[in-house]
Amino acid sequence: KVLLGSADWEWLNLCGCTLNAISGGAVAIQVFETLSQFIEAAGNGDFDLGFLTPGGFPTGSAGGTATDSWEQAVRAIRQIKSQRPIALVLVGAADELTQYEAAGHASGVDAMLQANQQITTRMAGQGPVHIDFAEVDALVETIIHLLTRGATTR
């Protein structure tokens, strides 16, 4: 089972389609569009893999910022990893990954993935979707590595 946490529907669509293509549709995917829902599901669910894009979440408070979401996500990852054997991937823009790289790795995150949106295409029944083919390659490599590692260590 895979857990996706993002408020960015384009990234969710890309990740979901990639996961389904890799697994032949055999993977169960749950999507949460708030950070608190993702944290609760990751802590209570039976997931093998989770992707989290904290910078795009609504902050939940009038004075909240994307920085608050990243800091909350890093704290939550530390707690989740201490409770459950789930592979977690933080996804963000280059500047976010640079800023939170040390904290992310210290929290126990399994990978940090840069999300770019540079190429526009149209998917059936939807508006423009931006896809960076290097991003798809990195996503596929990360998924395969973490799912294969999980299968061999359990």
Side-chain angles (χ1 to χ4, degrees):
K1 286 174 61 177
V2 178
L3 179 62
L4 302 180
S6 179
D8 180 351
W9 71 268
E10 292 174 351
W11 196 87
L12 286 170
N13 191 34
L14 172 66
C15 192
C17 289
T18 303
L19 285 162
N20 279 318
I22 291 171
S23 71
V27 67
I29 301 171
Q30 284 193 304
V31 175
F32 294 94
E33 294 182 359
T34 70
L35 184 55
S36 61
Q37 290 173 338
F38 179 91
I39 292 168
E40 183 178 343
N44 296 328
D46 183 26
F47 295 96
D48 300 304
L49 179 60
F51 288 87
L52 177 60
T53 59
F57 283 118
T59 57
S61 67
T65 65
T67 299
D68 296 336
S69 293
W70 271 89
E71 290 171 356
Q72 185 181 359
V74 168
R75 284 191 304 274
I77 287 170
R78 185 174 291 113
Q79 180 181 354
I80 293 164
K81 295 291 281 184
S82 72
Q83 298 171 353
R84 301 204 157 290
I86 179 175
L88 292 171
V89 179
L90 279 173
V91 181
D95 60 330
E96 293 171 323
L97 296 181
T98 299
Q99 182 176 353
Y100 292 100
E101 182 176 16
H105 287 297
S107 73
V109 72
D110 294 277
M112 296 179 80
L113 187 62
Q114 182 176 333
N116 299 312
Q117 296 165 343
Q118 298 173 349
I119 298 172
T120 302
T121 187
R122 290 204 178 265
M123 300 188 83
Q126 298 178 4
V129 176
H130 307 282
I131 298 174
D132 179 335
F133 291 109
E135 178 181 354
V136 174
D137 289 346
L139 177 60
V140 169
E141 289 173 12
T142 301
I143 292 168
I144 291 171
H145 170 74
L146 292 174
L147 290 178
T148 302
R149 185 186 71 186
T152 59
T153 60
R154 290 184 192 189

